[in-house]
């Protein structure tokens, strides 16, 4: 049986959430779920916990849009196939063969796994790629990177239609250029572009680190709040490296493009998303313009 004090704690938690529930009513929240958070220790539990958090956001009146990566899952299949891979400035060099693997993993494995985990709770999630309804139009970033695309346009129509129906879009970031050529788009960058295009209130990155560190090697150096200008300086001075670069650049662009707040949170912590959205406790790093 629940003791009175435990019940009081639960009531306090719900009451604390009330102003946030009211404030975020009908607002769009873009959540990027990193492949590393997905692959992290928690496994199926982490996926199920993420899925129920997303459903909770939707149930209290927010409009979540999920954008996902799949780096470790792509690396695993490339490894099994004996295909080598190389990164330049955090972007995977993508030849035709690698592009096939990227598409197989994102559209055949990661996206349907996320959709299925959410749909345990009801007929809620719809999986789509950037090629669907021309959600993400792309162009090649640099011939040296192969089929890596940058987003030139976001067509929000399909997202608006799904959100109007109170469905949860789950986006795999494969885009297509004007000729229909598929491109591998960095999921961090795509999430930022989508957040700005739909006028999201929040853009949240769930990754495998507690937040943005002032000193990469020091877990105690997590910055709780930082502005876009400060972030640009941290990229220039080498504080931010590897997979954090596209995240931070996307946060800067998104908050300058009208998104009120961007957050980098530890997706390995169960319910980090709920802590950020519904409590007074600051978790991870918050980025504002
Ligand atoms: P995801 O799958 O979430 O995109 P990434 O590995 O691409 O994950 O990016 C997160 C990683 O970025 C962290 O695990 C960390 O190794 C690296 N990183 C680089 N610079 C920093 C920094 N200043 N603070 C925190 N993490 C950083
Ligand atoms: Mg990454």
């Amino acid at each position: 049986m629940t003791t009175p004090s435990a019940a009081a704690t639960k009531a306090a938690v719900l009451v604390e959430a009330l102003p946030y529930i009211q404030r975020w009513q009908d607002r769009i929240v873009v959540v990027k779920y990193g492949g590393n958070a997905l692959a992290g220790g928690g496994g199926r539990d982490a996926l199920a916990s993420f899925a129920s958090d997303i459903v909770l956001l939707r149930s209290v009146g927010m409009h979540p849009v999920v954008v996902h990566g799949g780096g470790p899952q792509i690396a695993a299949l490339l490894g099994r196939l004996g295909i080598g891979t190389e990164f330049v400035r955090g972007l995977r060099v993508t030849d035709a063969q690698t592009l096939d693997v990227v598409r197989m993993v994102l559209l055949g494995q990661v996206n349907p796994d996320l959709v299925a985990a959410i749909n345990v709770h009801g007929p809620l999630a719809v999986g789509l790629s950037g090629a669907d309804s021309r959600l993400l139009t792309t162009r090649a970033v640099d011939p040296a990177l192969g089929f890596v695309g940058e987003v030139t346009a976001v067509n929000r129509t399909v997202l608006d239609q799904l959100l109007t129906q109170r469905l949860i879009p789950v986006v795999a970031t494969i885009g297509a250029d004007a000729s229909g050529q598929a491109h591998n788009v960095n999921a961090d960058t795509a999430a930022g572009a989508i957040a700005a295009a739909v006028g999201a209130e929040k853009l949240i990155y769930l990754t495998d680190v507690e937040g943005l560190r002032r000193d990469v090697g020091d877990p105690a150096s997590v910055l709780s709040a930082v502005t876009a200008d400060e972030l640009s300086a941290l990229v220039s001075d080498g504080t931010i490296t590897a997979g954090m670069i596209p995240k931070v650049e996307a946060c800067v662009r998104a908050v300058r493009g009208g998104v009120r707040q961007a957050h980098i949170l530890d997706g390995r912590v169960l319910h980090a998303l709920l802590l950020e959205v519904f409590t007074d406790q600051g978790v991870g790093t918050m980025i504002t313009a």
Side-chain angles (χ1 to χ4, degrees):
M1 221 183 87
T2 310
T3 63
S5 67
T9 307
K10 284 181 188 165
V13 168
L14 289 168
V15 170
E16 185 181 339
L18 178 60
Y20 297 99
I21 292 173
Q22 290 175 321
R23 178 166 165 199
W24 307 128
Q25 203 58 228
D26 287 324
R27 303 304 165 114
I28 300 174
V29 188
V30 174
V31 181
K32 190 265 177 167
Y33 196 35
N36 284 310
L38 252 164
R44 289 273 141 195
D45 287 351
L47 181 60
S49 152
F50 170 76
S52 62
D53 290 358
I54 291 290
V55 172
L56 186 74
L57 296 186
R58 182 240 179 227
S59 299
V60 299
M62 299 175 80
H63 293 299
V65 174
V66 177
V67 177
H68 65 84
Q73 296 79 1
I74 292 164
L77 184 56
L78 286 170
R80 269 155 67 190
L81 296 170
I83 302 170
T85 197
E86 188 197 333
F87 282 87
V88 175
R89 281 173 283 114
L91 300 174
R92 184 189 300 280
V93 177
T94 307
D95 61 9
Q97 185 178 228
T98 303
L99 180 64
D100 284 345
V101 174
V102 169
R103 296 168 83 188
M104 282 182 224
V105 171
L106 296 182
L107 301 172
Q109 180 191 341
V110 179
N111 188 275
D113 278 354
L114 272 164
V115 168
I118 293 171
N119 287 341
V120 164
H121 301 276
L124 300 172
V126 175
L128 64 166
S129 86
D132 287 288
S133 191
R134 282 204 195 161
L135 173 58
L136 302 173
T137 300
T138 55
R139 71 165 165 239
V141 172
D142 173 349
L145 293 172
F147 298 108
V148 174
E150 63 188 357
V151 177
T152 55
V154 178
N155 177 12
R156 60 179 287 177
T157 314
V158 70
L159 297 180
D160 288 336
Q161 286 166 344
L162 293 171
L163 295 177
T164 301
Q165 302 295 320
R166 306 215 59 224
L167 292 163
I168 302 170
V170 178
V171 181
T173 60
I174 302 291
D177 73 8
S179 75
Q181 170 63 52
H183 282 143
N184 176 19
V185 183
N186 179 276
D188 295 333
T189 314
I194 289 170
V198 299
E201 192 73 17
K202 276 179 184 283
L203 166 63
I204 300 176
Y205 288 93
L206 291 173
T207 184
D208 66 346
V209 60
E210 317 76 45
L212 191 62
R213 296 177 181 171
R214 186 73 193 80
D215 170 358
V216 194
D218 178 7
S221 71
V222 171
L223 297 163
S224 57
V226 64
T227 65
D229 288 342
E230 289 165 343
L231 272 186
S232 300
L234 295 178
V235 174
S236 322
D237 77 9
T239 298
I240 291 161
T241 58
M244 202 45 87
I245 294 175
K247 263 183 255 304
V248 159
E249 288 178 343
C251 288
V252 169
R253 233 172 291 142
V255 296
R256 288 188 176 148
V259 175
R260 198 193 297 261
Q261 300 167 348
H263 300 266
I264 297 172
L265 309 182
D266 195 341
R268 300 165 306 174
V269 174
L270 292 183
H271 309 301
L273 191 55
L274 299 186
L275 288 177
E276 167 18 62
V277 176
F278 295 120
T279 73
D280 302 331
Q281 224 170 304
V283 290
T285 302
M286 177 170 80
I287 298 115
T288 52

